[in-house]
Amino acid sequence: MTSPTSSRPKILVTRRQFQDQVDRLNEVSDALVLDRPAPATPDELRAAAAGAHGIFAHITDAVDGAVMDAAGPNLKVIAEFGVGYDNIDVDAASERNIAVGNTPGVLTETAADFGFTMIQAAGRRIAESDRFVRRGEWQWFEPLDLLGVDIFGSTLGIVGFGRIGSAVARRALASGMEVIYVTRSQPENDLGCERVGTLDELLERSDFVSLHCPLTPETNGLIGPDQLKRMKPEASLINTARGPIVNTDALAAALRDGDIAYAALDVTDPEPIPPDHPLVTMENVTIVPHIASATVGTRRKMSEMTVENILATIDGKLPPNCVNADRINWG
Ligand code: 8YV
């Protein structure tokens, strides 16, 4: 905890973290860990940020200009525990000369493992089958019950062919899928996947559509009613990227009306999704609570990287992984 007389920098850690990483921060700073079950409300976040040099931030924190102003002029770094940083207003940070860090690379393979798991979970109706057994409905062998879609030989459409999207593609190719993709920034790939001209073409050709793009103003609502109608009725939508990329109401309607067969979601909008939400009550949906990077090894590496991004700034250097380095001037 920061004492009023302390000259050490204050670091706000907004959620519980690996204690050895908090200890690393405490060697050179005073870490204030918000050690409670629920995320801070905006008011709590602003109050807790007061006087901070750094914020160890999580997806649950909307770090906007008001939080930065509440922190005050000491604030030098906002270090996101994750590769996606759509919860941080990077423009507001840059205007205030505050560096924003993230954790690219360390979670790629784990997130891709999980993305491919969700493709299989959708195609083979794993969660639905589990619920069937738990309800006591497994009475005898029924050759026409719970039939899924072959993974092998089917077409996977990947939206966003960056680190994670292309790592999912490698897994899909090894499982005998054809892989097509659309992407904003990547050049041609050397994996043998086909880059298609439009999202519409991808949606029309794919048996599985898997989202791997960041949430930006351009991708917010990217998959809406028109896009879902273009998908095959036997196709599945997999979202392990960010909830708002998909229009939730349109998705629920498409699943209800049979426009698509299945959805497997690691992320939702809203998040957490209320237990009485239509998507939660549908059999042809699998929802898990934003766990794509949730392995011990990966979350630990993310934590270490976030701490390193903060420690660098206490030394007067930019975070090693800084998303707005070109906009920071610390003289
Ligand atoms: C994290 C993620 O679990 O890296 C990301 O962008 O979504 C996840 O790996 C999340 O950011 C936790 O803060």
Side-chain angles (χ1 to χ4, degrees), residues 262-276:
Y262 208 97
L265 310 172
D266 182 42
V267 291
T268 55
D269 179 25
E271 194 170 296
I273 193 159
D276 59 350

Side-chain angles (χ1 to χ4, degrees), residues 11-29:
I11 306 297
L12 171 62
V13 183
T14 64
R15 310 285 289 145
R16 288 178 194 138
Q17 271 295 339
F18 293 93
Q19 188 53 47
D20 57 337
Q21 298 309 308
V22 175
D23 292 344
R24 279 178 80 195
L25 289 173
N26 273 327
E27 283 169 20
V28 290
S29 64

Side-chain angles (χ1 to χ4, degrees), residues 179-189 193-197:
V179 180
I180 62 178
Y181 69 96
V182 287
T183 196
R184 184 178 44 92
S185 54
Q186 289 294 114
E188 300 306 316
N189 74 96
C193 308
E194 181 192 349
R195 184 176 191 166
V196 297

Side-chain angles (χ1 to χ4, degrees), residues 117-132:
T117 299
M118 292 291 264
I119 291 166
Q120 294 172 306
R124 301 305 303 273
R125 301 169 64 176
I126 300 294
E128 190 181 349
S129 300
D130 178 83
R131 292 191 292 262
F132 175 83

Side-chain angles (χ1 to χ4, degrees), residues 136-168:
E137 287 179 36
W138 188 17
Q139 306 288 346
W140 43 69
F141 172 68
E142 198 51 79
L144 301 182
D145 264 1
L146 291 165
L147 303 187
V149 176
D150 279 326
I151 306 293
F152 175 87
S154 64
T155 298
L156 170 64
I158 295 185
V159 179
F161 210 72
R163 278 181 291 255
I164 298 174
S166 53
V168 171

